[in-house]
Amino acid sequence: EDKVVQSPLSLVVHEGDTVTLNCSYEVTNFRSLLWYKQEKKAPTFLFMLTSSGIEKKSGRLSSILDKKELFSILNITATQTGDSAVYLCADPISLNTGTASKLTFGTGTRLQVTL
Amino acid sequence: DTEVTQTPKHLVMGMTNKKSLKCEQHMGHRAMYWYKQKAKKPPELMFVYSYEKLSINESVPSRFSPECPNSSLLNLHLHALQPEDSALYLCASSQEGGQATDTQYFGPGTRLTVL
């Protein structure tokens, strides 16, 4: 059974700090790894990682995948209070139908950025 | 445009009521999903529709009944729910469902309270 583990479970930092969130996975037939940010309601898509060693970047957020060691990290630099959220890592599993996939989420990392 | 809309935003119902949750997307996506999320837990898949046909039912109790009237709409009919069914219900959609690069986009959710 595919497994996604995130660490730490929660984190409190001061505004301006840099944080690194971790996601390790044990999956069969790896296809991609997804990162989402969830504030109060909808998980918002951040990155999809398919290739090892290639950094994806969006503003102050960046993410990289290591397929050999089976983990991914999400970096946030110069954190702001608006970065406070739960960050979810997910593994899409292709279902038997071949036309749909199921997301297996990690438990998430709850990030709180204080002033 | 990566918007998935859901109505209502909040719903309070008694155990004998019948209600429906609605989800809509106009991105031309052919896979749509219902997830259930309890507090401080990651989303859990309930149903998957692919090309308007039910692909996956993750052993969800029959008091939850999904419906996909067309490729843009997804409903979740609720009947005789239990208090433990109180949760955030998230709808998601993705382009194809089976592709390695398929990304699921989530709606804002319906927060359901069963009294």
Side-chain angles (χ1 to χ4, degrees):
Chain A
E1 185 177 323
D2 289 17
K3 190 176 177 183
V4 178
V5 178
Q6 291 185 247
S7 64
L9 290 179
S10 65
L11 191 57
V12 181
V13 300
H14 293 295
E15 202 171 41
D17 287 351
T18 294
V19 298
T20 298
L21 309 182
N22 303 296
C23 174
S24 64
Y25 61 92
E26 295 175 20
V27 303
T28 54
N29 300 319
F30 177 84
R31 302 191 311 158
S32 61
L33 203 69
L34 306 175
W35 282 96
Y36 288 87
K37 174 185 180 182
Q38 186 172 26
E39 295 176 81
K40 292 186 178 175
K41 285 207 171 176
T44 305
F45 172 72
L46 295 175
F47 299 113
M48 168 180 281
L49 302 160
T50 56
S51 301
S52 194
I54 297 176
E55 186 182 52
K56 291 282 183 84
K57 195 171 173 64
S58 176
R60 296 176 294 102
L61 277 67
S62 63
S63 184
I64 197 161
L65 177 71
D66 185 326
K67 287 171 79 171
K68 182 178 177 184
E69 300 298 329
L70 307 182
F71 76 89
S72 173
I73 60 172
L74 176 68
N75 275 324
I76 309 174
T77 59
T79 52
Q80 301 171 357
T81 55
D83 295 326
S84 296
V86 174
Y87 290 84
L88 294 162
C89 176
D91 155 45
I93 304 169
S94 183
L95 300 172
N96 291 336
T97 62
T99 57
S101 59
K102 164 184 175 178
L103 288 179
T104 294
F105 287 93
T107 49
T109 293
R110 185 173 298 273
L111 174 65
Q112 184 179 352
V113 181
T114 62
L115 291 170
Chain B
D1 181 14
T2 55
E3 189 179 28
V4 177
T5 59
Q6 289 187 244
T7 56
K9 292 182 182 178
H10 301 274
L11 179 62
V12 180
M13 60 186 291
M15 289 190 285
T16 59
N17 293 155
K18 285 185 182 181
K19 297 287 183 183
S20 297
L21 310 184
K22 297 185 183 300
C23 173
E24 191 167 5
Q25 57 88 14
H26 293 289
M27 296 177 278
H29 289 176
R30 303 315 300 266
M32 296 186 77
Y33 311 77
W34 280 114
Y35 287 83
K36 174 182 177 179
Q37 187 175 25
K38 301 285 275 185
K40 298 190 177 181
K41 296 286 187 182
E44 293 181 351
L45 183 68
M46 300 174 71
F47 301 104
V48 180
Y49 271 82
S50 178
Y51 290 86
E52 300 164 46
K53 293 184 180 178
L54 184 64
S55 286
I56 295 292
N57 174 342
E58 290 281 281
S59 303
V60 179
S62 59
R63 57 186 184 268
F64 295 91
S65 176
E67 179 197 19
C68 189
N70 60 56
S71 60
S72 300
L73 293 173
L74 186 66
N75 298 322
L76 185 62
H77 302 297
L78 314 172
H79 174 55
L81 294 193
Q82 304 296 311
E84 59 265 28
D85 296 322
S86 298
L88 180 67
Y89 288 85
L90 293 162
C91 174
S93 71
S94 66
Q95 183 72 37
E96 190 78 35
Q99 300 294 326
T101 55
D102 199 52
T103 300
Q104 292 185 27
Y105 295 94
F106 286 82
T110 294
R111 191 163 297 283
L112 173 68
T113 302
V114 181
L115 301 176

